Amino acid sequence: MKWLKFILIPIIMATLLPTLTMAEEKIYIYIGGPGKNKIPVALPKPVSSSKASVEFFEVLKNDLELSGWVEIVDPKTYIEPPNVGIRPGNFRYQDWEITGAAGLAKTKFEIKDNNIRSEVWVYDVAGRKKIGAKAFSAKPERLRTLAHKAANEIIVQLTGKNAPFNTRFAYIGSQTGNKELYIMDFDGENKMRITRNGKINIKPSWNRNGDKISFTSYLNGNPDLYIADLSKGKISRLSARRGVNIGASWSPTNLDIILTLAPNGNSDIYKINAQTGRIIQRLTKSYGIDTAPVYSPDGSKIAYVSERSGGAQIYIMDADGSNHKRLTFQGSQNTDPDFSPDGSTLAFVSRDQNFDIFTSTSTVLDSAGSPKTRAITKILHGALTGITSPFRLPEPGHRIFGYLQRMVFTKPN
């Protein structure tokens, strides 16, 4: 068996700087969603004497521009000289008011004791007050990760929402001629190949801690379920039952996995132990194919695809296998559901002349357990090429909604 051994060691550390007192109330400049009424933010270059600060600033700026939350104010309007202090009292708010900025993000970057360190201070320009601050440190080789952390902190301070900058994507690539498992950073950097078996590997799924990935591999001829442990650099086979072992989704506790098995020829959804692979429960028993299960964020519900009513439709059930409800009633092929972070919305792929990405609010149930609404919204169009399934990022609050011409689309919440 030829697998790549790999070790990933978390080494980013965060330190809270002087923040709000107990009597102060946390106020955010902007409350809303990305892509709507972007907040103008001034982002001067870091206070630093290190050449490495150039790359740090490029990554930081790129993250913020990709976020959809903010619009970087044109640096040509900045009148403050370089390397002016970042803490309250070190600079003049009026120098930033004339730029039209609503927010100000000041950073410091330094190399000290064989570590790189950054401070992030975020200010409300119009209110002339500090919103929040934090410091981060890392080994020099993790400079990009440090910048992602800093960018995320700026978004958190401005909006109260987490950003996906420090997340990683698990994906299947065929650069070598085989479908191998890879991971990469949010911005497409630091690509790492996980499998080297020369076989077909598909359907990666992160656990909730972001340190393990389940996937299906045809290494031994049968679609078996494997687990890649990123912290230990090991890959092991978890389920090798006759027929398919595919479409895994981790529970919030990481103690069990739901997936599609077909030991008797018919595809149904099962719950298995995430450590031993032992079957805990068979969750569906219909004559049609049941597949693509996914846990809700709180683990109380499971969405899945079933052909029991003719054509692939989205269903939802309680985590114990009871209370099955059909959610989609239009289209003949609705597949690959996934929940929003608050569990109120599903993203799924549907065939509407082309394969497109939709969201549905129909996961909101009334007191009788029936869907309240079925508001369906198309969010991505697959006219150019086929779109694959939406899937979960390892950090809560963000999703990948699909691929189009090999470009990864993200939709932060």
Side-chain angles (χ1 to χ4, degrees):
M1 183 185 301
K2 295 182 179 179
W3 300 106
L4 172 68
K5 286 197 176 273
F6 48 92
I7 300 291
L8 297 178
I9 304 174
I11 53 176
I12 294 291
M13 299 185 68
T15 304
L16 286 172
L17 293 168
T19 53
L20 301 171
T21 65
M22 293 298 290
E24 292 177 309
E25 181 181 359
K26 183 71 173 181
I27 301 296
Y28 301 107
I29 290 180
Y30 179 72
I31 301 296
K36 305 175 184 177
N37 303 319
K38 294 182 181 179
I39 178 173
V41 174
L43 184 71
K45 291 182 179 179
V47 173
S48 180
S49 59
S50 169
K51 293 181 179 180
S53 67
V54 175
E55 182 181 1
F56 171 84
F57 182 70
E58 287 177 352
V59 175
L60 175 70
K61 183 172 179 287
N62 182 61
D63 283 353
L64 295 178
E65 289 175 337
L66 287 173
S67 72
W69 290 104
V70 304
E71 181 176 354
I72 305 299
V73 174
D74 187 350
K76 293 178 181 179
T77 66
Y78 302 174
I79 66 171
E80 181 182 271
N83 287 322
V84 170
I86 65 174
R87 299 197 176 201
N90 294 157
F91 63 92
R92 303 193 321 157
Y93 281 105
Q94 52 266 43
D95 288 347
W96 296 105
E97 289 173 343
I98 64 174
T99 68
L104 170 64
K106 280 180 157 280
T107 59
K108 181 180 180 180
F109 179 89
E110 62 182 348
I111 299 177
K112 187 176 182 180
D113 299 328
N114 200 33
N115 283 306
I116 53 177
R117 184 177 183 275
S118 174
E119 291 184 27
V120 178
W121 291 74
V122 184
Y123 298 93
D124 174 2
V125 174
R128 295 192 174 190
K129 61 182 179 181
K130 182 191 71 178
I131 300 176
K134 187 175 281 190
F136 302 95
S137 63
K139 295 297 182 182
E141 61 269 20
R142 303 298 290 175
L143 182 147
R144 298 186 68 88
T145 302
L146 188 78
H148 292 318
K149 287 278 190 180
N152 186 76
E153 184 61 25
I154 291 172
I155 296 298
V156 169
Q157 295 295 343
L158 290 171
T159 70
K161 308 290 185 181
N162 274 308
F165 309 136
N166 201 44
T167 58
R168 292 174 293 173
F169 298 162
Y171 66 101
I172 303 300
S174 55
Q175 299 92 310
T176 64
N178 302 303
K179 291 186 175 182
E180 303 283 5
L181 173 62
Y182 295 79
I183 60 175
M184 65 179 176
D185 290 347
F186 164 83
D187 57 0
E189 298 293 329
N190 295 325
K191 296 180 179 67
M192 179 181 288
R193 183 174 168 183
I194 305 303
T195 61
R196 294 181 179 270
N197 55 38
K199 303 296 182 180
I200 297 174
N201 304 279
I202 57 175
K203 295 289 185 181
S205 177
W206 292 93
N207 74 345
R208 299 301 175 95
N209 293 338
D211 59 359
K212 293 180 181 179
I213 303 172
S214 62
F215 65 98
T216 294
S217 178
Y218 286 78
L219 177 63
N220 294 311
N222 191 65
D224 298 332
L225 185 70
Y226 289 80
I227 304 295
D229 188 326
L230 304 185
S231 62
K232 296 180 180 178
K234 295 181 179 179
I235 295 177
S236 57
R237 189 167 62 179
L238 184 66
S239 179
R241 295 172 174 86
R242 184 180 65 176
V244 297
N245 302 258
I246 196 169
S249 175
W250 296 74
S251 69
T253 63
N254 292 323
L255 296 178
D256 62 79
I257 289 173
I258 50 175
L259 77 165
T260 299
L261 300 175
N264 300 313
N266 189 63
S267 296
D268 280 300
I269 296 170
Y270 290 76
K271 183 187 298 184
I272 65 174
N273 185 289
Q275 297 295 323
T276 66
R278 177 183 61 85
I279 291 178
I280 298 173
Q281 184 182 3
R282 180 178 176 181
L283 297 171
T284 64
K285 298 179 181 180
S286 69
Y287 289 105
I289 294 174
D290 296 327
T291 187
V294 60
Y295 270 111
S296 63
D298 64 2
S300 66
K301 302 287 183 183
I302 296 171
Y304 64 100
V305 177
S306 179
E307 294 185 349
R308 65 186 65 182
S309 56
Q313 300 293 339
I314 309 296
Y315 286 74
I316 192 168
M317 62 177 163
D318 291 343
D320 62 2
S322 64
N323 198 26
H324 295 252
K325 301 288 183 181
R326 180 176 171 179
L327 297 181
T328 58
F329 290 83
Q330 63 188 63
S332 61
Q333 193 164 357
N334 301 294
T335 63
D336 298 293
D338 200 4
F339 284 92
S340 63
D342 63 4
S344 67
T345 306
L346 276 175
F348 61 94
V349 178
S350 181
R351 185 170 185 173
D352 178 21
Q353 295 182 340
N354 302 292
F355 284 95
D356 302 312
I357 302 290
F358 290 79
T359 60
S360 170
T361 58
S362 55
T363 58
V364 181
L365 306 179
D366 61 21
S367 58
S370 299
K372 287 182 179 179
T373 63
R374 294 193 176 91
I376 306 296
T377 305
K378 184 186 294 187
I379 62 170
L380 278 179
H381 305 265
L384 298 179
T385 63
I387 290 179
T388 64
S389 61
F391 55 94
R392 187 183 309 276
L393 288 171
E395 186 168 301
H398 309 279
R399 337 287 280 180
I400 296 175
F401 271 74
Y403 289 98
L404 183 60
Q405 291 191 323
R406 298 193 178 186
M407 293 296 291
V408 178
F409 288 78
T410 64
K411 186 180 178 71
N413 293 277

